[in-house]
Amino acid sequence: MQKKTDKRIRLKKRIRVKIKGTAECPRLSVFRSNKFIYAQIINDMTGKTLGAASDVKITKGTKNERAKQVGSQIGQLCVKAKINKVVFDRNGFKYTGRIKLLADEARAAGLKF
């Protein structure tokens, strides 16, 4: 029997073949665990992380509220680094719930996907 994580990992590999981040348009990678959510801005050409945010240190609020905070943090980091446009990488997760809330807040902060 196939596990849910195995299916997500296969989907993630298929997506990563199509998505590449450059210096002009880096990749916004989102990872969601049962407790936390993480977001990174990555330049795939150099292999460097340009910025990162997570809700590990945020203790107040629901998971959805913390995902919104991470989205606004990553959006503010991009604005400071003068990054306007990114490629969104959801890492094989469905575009619902906390992933969607994070993306919406990043867009509200000024990012374009």
Side-chain angles (χ1 to χ4, degrees), residues 20-73:
K20 299 284 185 218
T22 62
E24 299 82 27
C25 186
R27 177 171 54 104
L28 172 58
S29 177
V30 178
F31 178 77
R32 177 183 61 86
S33 70
N34 287 336
K35 289 185 177 183
F36 304 112
I37 192 160
Y38 308 87
Q40 290 182 323
I41 302 294
I42 303 168
N43 180 353
D44 288 323
M45 297 298 177
T46 60
K48 293 190 177 183
T49 301
L50 306 175
S54 72
D55 68 340
V56 174
K57 295 183 180 178
I58 302 171
T59 57
K60 294 187 178 182
T62 64
K63 290 179 186 178
N64 289 342
E65 292 168 351
R66 293 191 315 235
K68 287 181 180 181
Q69 289 177 351
V70 171
S72 64
Q73 286 175 3

Side-chain angles (χ1 to χ4, degrees), residues 79-99:
V79 169
K80 285 181 185 176
K82 297 180 181 175
I83 298 170
N84 299 331
K85 190 174 179 183
V86 296
V87 177
F88 189 69
D89 178 12
R90 56 187 172 88
N91 264 328
F93 294 105
K94 291 182 179 180
Y95 189 74
T96 59
R98 292 188 284 160
I99 303 290

